[in-house]
Amino acid sequence: MTTMAINLWQQARLQTAIWISLAAVLFAILVGLVLVASMGVPLTDAISAFAEGAWGSPYAIAASVNRALALGLVGVGFVLANRANLTNVGGEGQIALGGIAATAMSLYGGASHLPGPLPFIVPMIAAALAGGAWGGIAGVLKAKVGTNEVISTLLMSFIAVWLVYWCVQSESLLRQPMHNTATLPESLEIPEVTKIPLLTGDYSMPLHWGLPIALVLAVIVAIVLDKTVFGLRLRAVGLNPVAARRAGIAIVPSILLVLFLAGALGGLAGAFMLQGDQYSLKARFSSGYGFDGLVVGLLARGSVPGVIASALLFGFLRSGGINMELAAGIPSAIVMVIQGVIIVTLAGAAFWMERKRSGK
Amino acid sequence: MSVEMVAVFAGSSIRLAMPLLLSAAGELVSERAGVLNMSVEGMMLMGAFGGAMGSLYTGSPVLGLLIGIVAVIPVAALQAFLSNTLRANQIVTGIGINILVLGATTTAYRAILGSRSRTEIPGLDKWAPPFLGDIPWFGDAVFHQTWLLYAGLVVVAIAAWVMRYTALGLAVHAAGAEPRAVDKSGLSVTRIRYGAVFFTGFMSALAGCFLSIGDIHTFTEGMTNGGGYLALAAVIFGNWKIGRTVLACLFFGAATALQFQLPAMGINVPNALLIMLPYLMALLAVGGLVGRQSAPAYLTQAFVR
């Protein structure tokens, strides 16, 4: 009887959360539309440019979905760490580290000589490990010195972004050999075999194998969080670390593992971006995907299906925004305004959610 | 290294440290009161934008400065409302505000001036203190700076004095260390914290204006480029003490100046290393490798009566 009541209560809460998220998104889009209108661009032009760029062609759809993949992986990592009440804002750095590792492994790590599908799998694993290590450092600092993971992961994001810059500026690291002064500061293109194969085999719709991989990972994380002892332990650590420790849950390994895993998902996102889309490492490689991924995680309010929905929303928003700038001359920065409004509205709305729960 | 180079290096270090120093001093007050403003970056950017546009349209950089300060008020109000009244997660709201301001200023700038405008904007006058400005070799390169730099130093000094020696300063410290005691003493924690966030906004506006109409006399999209986060790093590295925070800002400024100085001296240090150095130092500081950290006890925790 009690379980049923709790289930109903949880369901009601989930529904409120979904409605609030939807309301925030709609409100933000409305703000965006008002901005577009105030710039003197006909709304129909803007909307058709947006639609064209977001889902107007098979290529556009694939590009949007590929963007959503990276955002979604970071978002799933955020939700995972957040279950233990840890806030991983280091997605940007974890993507960057993943990109560096995947590039290094593809170009110089001998991955291209491996048999079978290994040439593109090994760099992905390297990227996940690198991102995981980057997240793990924050875990070590948290567990050993009590450093707030928000501050450490944020600082490490900036360090990592400049590490990418360093790697592509220095020939002794990942910069392509300089033939003349016009040689761009970026890495060589990775070998064909290390690129993630396309699902369709056709570049007019460049969906790649990252899509099923990411979906499988998302399902695994959802199951781990909701149906396993490990997920329950994370929740206990997050809700009340003192009680969790009394109950015999090892706090330090839980923190380390969960921040490692969140980082690994970010690193994998970096591998997807590099091996599935950009194919060579450039400065500003991560280009805000980590911070957007954080927002995706936030928007999802702790649920993995929520991550998928908001990752798709942001992936399509980004694609559509880019085309709005190209085709209708509207700054794609409007998409940032929309995202900012979503975050601020949701963060503010959390107040009413809490108040409702505590029954005040 | 010649005397001239030392002088130029010192001058540019101070100039580059100044926006950090202004915003870090503002942020320090707010963090002492218990509110972490991740939105310093956004506040600076809004200040830079407001100052630049104000100066461009009125033709007067001083009016521009005022407009820059006014432009930050809504941003600070939003942050204060979210973190104190709605008790929202301070980190999340800060990041959200930063994205919002970056998007809004970029959009507005494009709408007003077009995408690749390099419009020269009237900037604040330069000034050198008497005597100091006349020192041979050093005077001109080190002390001939925007007057806002000197005004800013005065404001920082006043803020440090208020924080240390007055009842108001004591109340601000207590709001972040013992909010319950402040409440019992009859003062309003919420009101103190609102005030502290507005002070951060004011200082960040000065910092932003220093960038746009004090230093380079133009506005570029996202021109703060992480400077607000550097200010946060300086507060952390400064261990929430004003003296050490000022030193951290000067050090960060010097590291930035070295990016331009070292190549001129024929020394080859990766640029990226110098740029990431401040973040690395701040990480070491929060990692406990540079003495014990003592953040205000109730930092980021909303107060519920």
Side-chain angles (χ1 to χ4, degrees):
Chain A
M1 184 61 206
T2 354
T3 16
M4 215 175 86
I6 289 174
N7 273 340
L8 277 174
W9 175 70
Q10 275 181 337
Q11 233 166 21
R13 253 190 78 210
L14 189 67
Q15 270 178 0
T16 330
I18 291 173
W19 283 116
I20 287 185
S21 298
L22 273 179
V25 170
L26 285 178
F27 172 62
I29 289 176
L30 198 68
V31 171
L33 287 176
V34 169
L35 273 178
V36 168
S38 72
M39 294 175 82
V41 179
L43 276 185
T44 45
D45 287 12
I47 292 170
S48 69
F50 182 91
E52 179 63 34
W55 56 76
S57 63
Y59 183 85
I61 293 173
S64 302
V65 171
N66 284 344
R67 292 199 163 94
L69 284 185
L71 298 173
L73 284 174
V74 175
V76 169
F78 178 86
V79 165
L80 185 63
N82 204 234
R83 193 56 63 96
N85 203 14
L86 294 166
T87 310
N88 172 31
V89 299
E92 193 75 11
Q94 290 143 12
I95 287 180
L97 258 276
I100 294 174
T103 312
M105 206 40 136
S106 304
L107 283 171
Y108 309 108
S112 57
H113 305 302
L114 296 169
L118 287 177
F120 74 91
I121 291 176
V122 168
M124 288 194 324
I125 293 172
L129 289 176
W134 206 243
I137 294 175
V140 172
L141 289 177
K142 173 91 184 178
K144 297 288 168 199
V145 233
T147 307
N148 186 328
E149 77 285 357
V150 173
I151 293 172
S152 58
T153 49
L154 185 76
L155 290 172
M156 287 175 73
S157 283
F158 288 109
I159 295 171
V161 166
W162 291 106
L163 270 180
V164 172
Y165 180 78
W166 191 352
C167 284
V168 298
Q169 285 288 339
S170 167
E171 256 188 292
S172 53
L173 295 168
L174 295 174
R175 186 175 188 165
Q176 56 183 328
M178 300 234 297
H179 300 300
N180 54 49
T181 48
T183 306
L184 291 173
E186 56 185 63
S187 78
L188 287 170
E189 187 171 326
I190 56 171
E192 204 58 37
V193 280
T194 59
K195 295 176 183 172
I196 302 174
L198 298 180
L199 288 172
T200 54
D202 181 0
Y203 274 98
S204 65
M205 188 167 188
L207 283 178
H208 56 69
W209 275 92
L211 177 61
I213 296 175
L215 283 176
V216 168
L217 286 174
V219 170
I220 292 176
V221 171
I223 292 172
V224 165
L225 282 181
D226 290 342
K227 308 277 178 213
T228 67
V229 179
F230 179 67
L232 196 67
R233 281 187 182 152
L234 286 185
R235 197 185 290 253
V237 171
L239 288 177
N240 190 342
V242 179
R245 186 174 291 133
R246 293 254 167 84
I249 297 172
I251 307 271
V252 170
S254 307
I255 291 177
L256 284 182
L257 183 59
V258 85
L259 280 175
F260 173 85
L261 290 175
L265 288 166
L268 191 62
F272 282 8
M273 286 165 64
L274 186 97
Q275 296 172 264
D277 184 30
Q278 305 190 12
Y279 300 142
S280 69
L281 191 70
K282 304 174 185 71
R284 301 193 180 271
F285 159 77
S286 46
S287 59
Y289 277 82
F291 291 118
D292 286 4
L294 155 74
V295 179
V296 162
L298 180 76
L299 199 57
R301 295 199 154 274
S303 99
V304 174
V307 170
I308 297 174
S310 35
L312 285 170
L313 170 75
F314 274 40
F316 281 93
L317 261 181
R318 244 196 202 229
S319 298
I322 291 170
N323 198 54
M324 265 202 323
E325 176 154 347
L326 293 176
I330 299 159
S332 63
I334 281 201
V335 172
M336 274 196 271
V337 176
I338 294 176
Q339 289 180 354
V341 172
I342 293 176
I343 304 172
V344 168
T345 317
L346 281 180
F351 175 65
W352 278 285
M353 299 285 296
E354 296 299 314
R355 205 164 60 161
K356 206 166 199 170
R357 191 167 56 180
S358 58
K360 273 183 199 164
Chain B
M1 197 152 92
S2 67
V3 182
E4 284 86 0
M5 278 172 101
V6 175
V8 168
F9 174 63
S12 53
S13 299
I14 294 170
R15 183 170 49 82
L16 291 165
M18 201 56 205
L20 295 181
L21 208 161
L22 289 168
S23 47
E27 175 61 13
L28 176 58
V29 169
S30 175
E31 288 195 20
R32 274 295 183 185
V35 183
L36 178 75
N37 297 302
M38 213 69 149
S39 53
V40 172
E41 171 82 5
M43 293 177 183
M44 278 172 75
L45 188 58
M46 190 53 106
F49 178 75
M53 292 305 114
S55 172
L56 181 67
Y57 281 102
T58 62
S60 154
V62 178
L63 280 178
L65 181 63
L66 286 177
I67 292 170
I69 293 167
V70 172
V72 176
I73 292 175
V75 183
L78 181 62
Q79 174 73 65
F81 178 68
L82 286 167
S83 42
N84 296 317
T85 306
L86 292 190
R87 305 199 288 270
N89 182 326
Q90 295 175 5
I91 288 125
V92 174
T93 51
I95 292 176
I97 290 174
N98 289 343
I99 296 179
L100 183 61
V101 173
L102 179 60
T105 52
T106 305
T107 309
Y109 181 70
R110 297 259 184 102
I112 296 172
L113 290 177
S115 76
R116 280 182 223 295
S117 164
R118 287 266 167 215
T119 314
E120 175 91 4
I121 289 166
L124 298 164
D125 292 330
K126 292 200 167 183
W127 182 76
F131 308 118
L132 286 177
D134 302 329
I135 302 172
W137 294 311
F138 283 94
D140 193 49
V142 179
F143 294 108
H144 196 67
Q145 304 264 17
T146 309
W147 64 260
L148 183 56
L149 187 141
Y150 297 102
L153 286 177
V154 172
V155 176
V156 171
I158 293 174
W161 182 81
V162 168
M163 286 295 282
R164 190 176 176 113
Y165 293 111
T166 66
L168 178 64
L170 192 65
V172 171
H173 277 124
E178 284 282 352
R180 209 145 285 287
V182 174
D183 191 52
K184 282 194 184 127
S185 79
L187 293 168
S188 159
V189 175
T190 311
R191 205 173 288 172
I192 293 172
R193 288 185 172 180
Y194 258 88
V197 175
F198 275 109
F199 182 68
T200 309
F202 170 68
M203 294 301 278
S204 305
L206 293 186
C209 286
F210 187 91
L211 283 173
S212 66
I213 54 177
D215 193 359
I216 62 169
H217 297 193
T218 191
F219 179 84
T220 55
E221 291 163 11
M223 72 184 299
T224 42
N225 200 13
Y229 294 109
L230 263 188
L232 290 175
V235 174
I236 295 165
F237 194 73
N239 202 14
W240 291 270
K241 301 209 170 31
I242 185 70
R244 273 183 64 177
T245 303
V246 171
L247 283 182
C249 291
L250 283 174
F251 191 88
F252 292 178
T256 317
L258 270 184
Q259 285 167 46
F260 309 105
Q261 196 76 11
L262 287 179
M265 290 162 55
I267 298 171
N268 215 346
V269 173
N271 229 344
L273 185 65
L274 291 170
I275 305 174
M276 73 168 77
L277 197 60
Y279 299 110
L280 205 56
M281 285 169 40
L283 183 68
L284 293 178
V286 287
L289 294 176
V290 195
R292 241 178 66 80
Q293 290 296 107
S294 49
Y298 285 80
L299 185 60
T300 76
Q301 292 184 28
F303 178 72
V304 193
R305 274 196 90 175

